[in-house]
């Protein structure tokens, strides 16, 4: 295993220590339980926006804490869900009195732990809602997931909801917005190589010298198909068509019912993309793919969107939701409207994303 | 060879096409000869700041074109110098009447071609100066270099001089500033894995499963020593001490003498770091190293600087001068003063670096 680390067990702790030293003006770190939070938190009257998940996907989520994005992020060990304790303590630290929104990627451990954290907060009188991100069209169920996995749309939801929280959206309106981003965003990824979890010390999966995995998950979970390596234009087309031609996707998720004061099943339907839609196109590196290759993917994606009648009105290209050193990429398309465009363009100042601030 | 590309020969062209589609508000692309230039160029009365070099180091240099940084960048084929033709045409495109500054990394081909381009421009009546970046303390001469190689300090020089050009520095003052950044900046890198040049199709060099190369160049040129893999704290210490304890470095470079109207040898001396110095600390990924590992390097670097009496007043952490998918890192320390700090903090809006703009 070739990594720039000391002991595998110390990776997350030492990463957080480095972040604390590097960005004291942006974030503070709380240890045991571990979380990253805005240096200027709590912000009175603002909904506290929190996400979290296993480490190894950097800059997500800790790199998205700051003005215009998250108030706090809870990193678990690599590819391991954070605990309810982390999530609840983070919420109490950034609570500005307007409630807490948890953005939860759809992995069984994350979903369960964020629900437990929400229950802990409610017992202390803090209003909290959990909104799920489940945008990966590659597979229905997966290794750690019932239903679709939460991937690239998470980054976009954190940016857009972060801007809205900054603007004064209340908890109800912010929850509705986050749900809207989720149902309008779709993603799919692929890998050329496996990642290596530090504690495991060996590749998560084996791929032959001329093989790739289409539909990979961000923890190296199996995708749709293992196949021979192809030119990137063909790879881009496979990912893009799976996304664009995906049909209405219906499933039931759990959200908190503030009227009945209980968890309730909510039916969600992702509307398919339609000719004439405006979209944000997000081309993401899985971590080990160099910058030179990403515009080549975007070039083909642009052509496909044009052919399908989708207009790319915004884009994001880079390594934002990664899988350690995995070589590969993912594509996310999010249907945009005026509200989403305005929020996307709003100032943001985090480690991983910053503009106009 | 596992890459997200189509044909190796088309990588640079298709990358540029993707950039043109993705960032029309920031940059334009000129083909044959290839260069990236500011969408709002030329800017009347501003010195045109231009750099360039082989592709494969993205986001450098094309990703640094825009407000507050470069006016144009000339990408060669992967790890291959651009031609004098590219450099001269780029200069004519962005010439705002106040002259051109070429920032040149010290590689034999780049130095020669930028000198030829400068001569071509002068024949057309355009004032131009070439300032060399030679900051790599690892080796004296190298595969493609007489003297020290130009590496991480290039990124910092492009940011700082870009801000100064925006502020109205004239060609003489901007040249002096760029030279000052170069002599006060020192870098060193290391690799865990080789990169693969697309046209070659195989690793540039071989490293054993438990080996690393200390002092690597950004094209995979040999460094100081190949040795067994060590914990990152030890690696960071090796790089940092080579930089911090480097003695005064004296060499002769060629610059244009505007009085005598001829190329002249100029003796430069890099002053060693001293207790009490303020520095910018730049931790750079070679491309394939994931984000989670970089703060761990910064954490140790911070401790070493503190112990050596250097105060880190600014930092930059990420993949900015890369070597395709190489896993590894480099460290750059730049001695700062009030002028450099103010210019570093100034607004910038490029693909690769953007803040407050």
């Amino acid at each position: 295993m070739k990594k720039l680390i000391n002991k595998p067990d110390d990776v997350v702790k030492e990463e957080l220590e480095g972040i604390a030293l590097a960005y004291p003006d942006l974030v503070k770190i709380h240890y045991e339980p571990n979380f990253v939070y805005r240096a200027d938190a709590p912000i009175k009257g603002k909904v506290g926006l929190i996400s979290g998940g296993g480490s190894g996907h950097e800059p997500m989520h800790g790199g998205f804490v700051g003005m215009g994005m998250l108030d706090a992020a809870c990193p678990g060990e690599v590819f391991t869900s954070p605990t309810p304790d982390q999530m609840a303590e983070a919420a109490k630290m950034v609570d500005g009195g307007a409630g807490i929104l948890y953005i939860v990627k759809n992995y069984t451990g994350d979903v369960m732990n964020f629900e437990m954290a929400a229950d802990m907060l409610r017992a202390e009188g803090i209003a909290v809602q959990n909104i799920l991100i489940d945008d990966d069209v590659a597979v229905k169920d997966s290794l750690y997931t019932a239903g679709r996995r939460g991937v690239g749309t998470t980054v976009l939801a954190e940016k857009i909801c972060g801007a809205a929280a900054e603007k004064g959206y209340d908890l109800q309106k912010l929850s509705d917005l986050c749900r809207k981003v989720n149902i309008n965003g779709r993603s799919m990824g692929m890998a050329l190589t496996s990642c290596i979890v530090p504690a495991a010390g060996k590749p998560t999966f084996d791929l032959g010298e001329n093989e790739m995995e289409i539909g990979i998950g961000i923890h190296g979970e199996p995708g749709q198909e293992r196949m021979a390596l192809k030119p990137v234009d063909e790879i881009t087309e496979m990912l893009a068509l799976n996304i664009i031609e995906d049909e209405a996707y219906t499933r039931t998720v759990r959200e908190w019912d503030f009227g009945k004061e209980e968890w309730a099943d909510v039916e969600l339907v992702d509307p398919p993309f339609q000719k004439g839609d405006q979209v944000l196109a997000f081309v993401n590196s899985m971590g080990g793919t160099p910058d030179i290759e990403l515009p080549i993917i975007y070039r083909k994606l642009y052509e496909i969107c044009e052919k399908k009648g989708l207009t790319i009105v915004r884009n994001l290209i880079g390594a934002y939701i990664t899988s350690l050193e995995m070589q590969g990429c993912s594509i996310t398309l999010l249907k945009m409207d005026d509200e989403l465009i305005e929020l996307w363009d709003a100032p943001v100042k985090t480690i991983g994303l910053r503009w106009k601030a």
Side-chain angles (χ1 to χ4, degrees), chain A residues 44 63 70 84 122 127 186 223 244 276 281 299 305 310 324 329:
Chain A
K44 215 175 141 54
L70 299 178
R122 277 183 209 110
R186 283 178 167 83
I244 296 170
R299 169 183 169 275
C305 283
L310 305 181
L324 295 166
C329 69

PDB file of all heavy atoms in Angstrom, chain A residues 44 63 70 84 122 127 186 223 244 276 281 299 305 310 324 329:
ATOM      1  N   LYS A  44     -26.964  33.077  14.521  1.00  0.00           N
ATOM      2  CA  LYS A  44     -28.291  33.238  15.108  1.00  0.00           C
ATOM      3  C   LYS A  44     -29.362  33.366  14.030  1.00  0.00           C
ATOM      4  O   LYS A  44     -29.232  34.153  13.103  1.00  0.00           O
ATOM      5  CB  LYS A  44     -28.302  34.480  16.008  1.00  0.00           C
ATOM      6  CG  LYS A  44     -29.186  34.323  17.242  1.00  0.00           C
ATOM      7  CD  LYS A  44     -29.062  35.526  18.160  1.00  0.00           C
ATOM      8  CE  LYS A  44     -30.399  35.907  18.760  1.00  0.00           C
ATOM      9  NZ  LYS A  44     -31.102  34.815  19.451  1.00  0.00           N
ATOM     10  N   GLY A  63     -14.531  19.686   3.558  1.00  0.00           N
ATOM     11  CA  GLY A  63     -14.084  20.753   2.675  1.00  0.00           C
ATOM     12  C   GLY A  63     -15.212  21.644   2.193  1.00  0.00           C
ATOM     13  O   GLY A  63     -14.971  22.608   1.483  1.00  0.00           O
ATOM     14  N   LEU A  70     -21.977  24.270   4.177  1.00  0.00           N
ATOM     15  CA  LEU A  70     -22.361  23.579   5.413  1.00  0.00           C
ATOM     16  C   LEU A  70     -21.954  24.354   6.672  1.00  0.00           C
ATOM     17  O   LEU A  70     -20.957  25.081   6.677  1.00  0.00           O
ATOM     18  CB  LEU A  70     -21.705  22.198   5.472  1.00  0.00           C
ATOM     19  CG  LEU A  70     -22.050  21.202   4.367  1.00  0.00           C
ATOM     20  CD1 LEU A  70     -21.258  19.911   4.566  1.00  0.00           C
ATOM     21  CD2 LEU A  70     -23.545  20.910   4.349  1.00  0.00           C
ATOM     22  N   PRO A  84     -24.065   8.627  15.706  1.00  0.00           N
ATOM     23  CA  PRO A  84     -25.127   9.568  16.076  1.00  0.00           C
ATOM     24  C   PRO A  84     -24.599  10.649  17.022  1.00  0.00           C
ATOM     25  O   PRO A  84     -25.008  11.814  16.937  1.00  0.00           O
ATOM     26  CB  PRO A  84     -26.156   8.671  16.778  1.00  0.00           C
ATOM     27  CG  PRO A  84     -25.943   7.319  16.213  1.00  0.00           C
ATOM     28  CD  PRO A  84     -24.474   7.215  15.952  1.00  0.00           C
ATOM     29  N   ARG A 122     -34.160  16.098  19.041  1.00  0.00           N
ATOM     30  CA  ARG A 122     -35.559  16.432  19.343  1.00  0.00           C
ATOM     31  C   ARG A 122     -35.835  16.298  20.838  1.00  0.00           C
ATOM     32  O   ARG A 122     -36.601  17.067  21.407  1.00  0.00           O
ATOM     33  CB  ARG A 122     -36.495  15.529  18.545  1.00  0.00           C
ATOM     34  CG  ARG A 122     -36.701  16.047  17.138  1.00  0.00           C
ATOM     35  CD  ARG A 122     -37.691  15.202  16.350  1.00  0.00           C
ATOM     36  NE  ARG A 122     -37.290  15.314  14.956  1.00  0.00           N
ATOM     37  CZ  ARG A 122     -36.760  14.351  14.233  1.00  0.00           C
ATOM     38  NH1 ARG A 122     -36.575  13.138  14.738  1.00  0.00           N
ATOM     39  NH2 ARG A 122     -36.400  14.570  12.988  1.00  0.00           N
ATOM     40  N   ALA A 127     -35.457  21.454  16.618  1.00  0.00           N
ATOM     41  CA  ALA A 127     -36.177  20.993  15.422  1.00  0.00           C
ATOM     42  C   ALA A 127     -35.167  20.490  14.398  1.00  0.00           C
ATOM     43  O   ALA A 127     -34.150  21.142  14.151  1.00  0.00           O
ATOM     44  CB  ALA A 127     -36.997  22.134  14.830  1.00  0.00           C
ATOM     45  N   ARG A 186     -29.280  13.357 -10.997  1.00  0.00           N
ATOM     46  CA  ARG A 186     -28.962  11.949 -11.270  1.00  0.00           C
ATOM     47  C   ARG A 186     -27.472  11.819 -11.579  1.00  0.00           C
ATOM     48  O   ARG A 186     -26.894  12.684 -12.249  1.00  0.00           O
ATOM     49  CB  ARG A 186     -29.739  11.443 -12.485  1.00  0.00           C
ATOM     50  CG  ARG A 186     -31.204  11.125 -12.221  1.00  0.00           C
ATOM     51  CD  ARG A 186     -31.842  10.688 -13.523  1.00  0.00           C
ATOM     52  NE  ARG A 186     -33.151  10.082 -13.343  1.00  0.00           N
ATOM     53  CZ  ARG A 186     -34.285  10.774 -13.210  1.00  0.00           C
ATOM     54  NH1 ARG A 186     -34.258  12.098 -13.211  1.00  0.00           N
ATOM     55  NH2 ARG A 186     -35.433  10.136 -13.080  1.00  0.00           N
ATOM     56  N   GLY A 223     -20.646  -2.206  -9.651  1.00  0.00           N
ATOM     57  CA  GLY A 223     -21.528  -1.393 -10.473  1.00  0.00           C
ATOM     58  C   GLY A 223     -22.422  -2.253 -11.336  1.00  0.00           C
ATOM     59  O   GLY A 223     -22.876  -3.316 -10.918  1.00  0.00           O
ATOM     60  N   ILE A 244     -29.523  10.351 -18.594  1.00  0.00           N
ATOM     61  CA  ILE A 244     -30.514  11.141 -19.329  1.00  0.00           C
ATOM     62  C   ILE A 244     -31.762  10.323 -19.650  1.00  0.00           C
ATOM     63  O   ILE A 244     -32.878  10.833 -19.632  1.00  0.00           O
ATOM     64  CB  ILE A 244     -29.892  11.717 -20.632  1.00  0.00           C
ATOM     65  CG1 ILE A 244     -28.759  12.693 -20.285  1.00  0.00           C
ATOM     66  CG2 ILE A 244     -30.952  12.393 -21.500  1.00  0.00           C
ATOM     67  CD1 ILE A 244     -27.930  13.141 -21.483  1.00  0.00           C
ATOM     68  N   GLY A 276     -35.388  20.325 -23.653  1.00  0.00           N
ATOM     69  CA  GLY A 276     -35.653  21.701 -23.257  1.00  0.00           C
ATOM     70  C   GLY A 276     -35.214  22.008 -21.830  1.00  0.00           C
ATOM     71  O   GLY A 276     -35.166  23.172 -21.439  1.00  0.00           O
ATOM     72  N   ALA A 281     -24.114  20.522 -15.283  1.00  0.00           N
ATOM     73  CA  ALA A 281     -23.338  19.317 -15.595  1.00  0.00           C
ATOM     74  C   ALA A 281     -22.122  19.270 -14.686  1.00  0.00           C
ATOM     75  O   ALA A 281     -21.320  20.203 -14.663  1.00  0.00           O
ATOM     76  CB  ALA A 281     -22.907  19.331 -17.058  1.00  0.00           C
ATOM     77  N   ARG A 299     -16.314  17.640 -22.757  1.00  0.00           N
ATOM     78  CA  ARG A 299     -16.480  17.901 -24.193  1.00  0.00           C
ATOM     79  C   ARG A 299     -17.521  16.958 -24.805  1.00  0.00           C
ATOM     80  O   ARG A 299     -18.412  17.383 -25.552  1.00  0.00           O
ATOM     81  CB  ARG A 299     -15.104  17.704 -24.846  1.00  0.00           C
ATOM     82  CG  ARG A 299     -15.039  17.667 -26.340  1.00  0.00           C
ATOM     83  CD  ARG A 299     -13.587  17.377 -26.744  1.00  0.00           C
ATOM     84  NE  ARG A 299     -13.492  17.081 -28.163  1.00  0.00           N
ATOM     85  CZ  ARG A 299     -13.690  15.869 -28.669  1.00  0.00           C
ATOM     86  NH1 ARG A 299     -14.013  14.857 -27.892  1.00  0.00           N
ATOM     87  NH2 ARG A 299     -13.586  15.687 -29.983  1.00  0.00           N
ATOM     88  N   CYS A 305     -25.513  16.188 -24.422  1.00  0.00           N
ATOM     89  CA  CYS A 305     -26.611  16.992 -23.878  1.00  0.00           C
ATOM     90  C   CYS A 305     -27.267  17.808 -24.992  1.00  0.00           C
ATOM     91  O   CYS A 305     -28.501  17.902 -25.069  1.00  0.00           O
ATOM     92  CB  CYS A 305     -26.100  17.915 -22.767  1.00  0.00           C
ATOM     93  SG  CYS A 305     -25.808  17.054 -21.214  1.00  0.00           S
ATOM     94  N   LEU A 310     -30.835  19.010 -24.008  1.00  0.00           N
ATOM     95  CA  LEU A 310     -30.582  19.585 -22.688  1.00  0.00           C
ATOM     96  C   LEU A 310     -29.562  20.718 -22.813  1.00  0.00           C
ATOM     97  O   LEU A 310     -28.546  20.569 -23.489  1.00  0.00           O
ATOM     98  CB  LEU A 310     -30.023  18.528 -21.728  1.00  0.00           C
ATOM     99  CG  LEU A 310     -30.837  17.249 -21.552  1.00  0.00           C
ATOM    100  CD1 LEU A 310     -30.143  16.315 -20.553  1.00  0.00           C
ATOM    101  CD2 LEU A 310     -32.251  17.562 -21.097  1.00  0.00           C
ATOM    102  N   LEU A 324     -10.911   8.033  -2.388  1.00  0.00           N
ATOM    103  CA  LEU A 324      -9.474   7.950  -2.147  1.00  0.00           C
ATOM    104  C   LEU A 324      -8.706   8.134  -3.458  1.00  0.00           C
ATOM    105  O   LEU A 324      -8.973   9.100  -4.163  1.00  0.00           O
ATOM    106  CB  LEU A 324      -9.131   6.620  -1.444  1.00  0.00           C
ATOM    107  CG  LEU A 324      -9.728   6.481  -0.028  1.00  0.00           C
ATOM    108  CD1 LEU A 324      -9.650   5.051   0.478  1.00  0.00           C
ATOM    109  CD2 LEU A 324      -9.028   7.425   0.950  1.00  0.00           C
ATOM    110  N   CYS A 329     -14.254   8.395 -12.893  1.00  0.00           N
ATOM    111  CA  CYS A 329     -14.994   9.648 -12.903  1.00  0.00           C
ATOM    112  C   CYS A 329     -16.467   9.370 -12.645  1.00  0.00           C
ATOM    113  O   CYS A 329     -16.914   8.230 -12.694  1.00  0.00           O
ATOM    114  CB  CYS A 329     -14.858  10.345 -14.261  1.00  0.00           C
ATOM    115  SG  CYS A 329     -15.722   9.481 -15.589  1.00  0.00           S
TER     116      CYS A 329
END
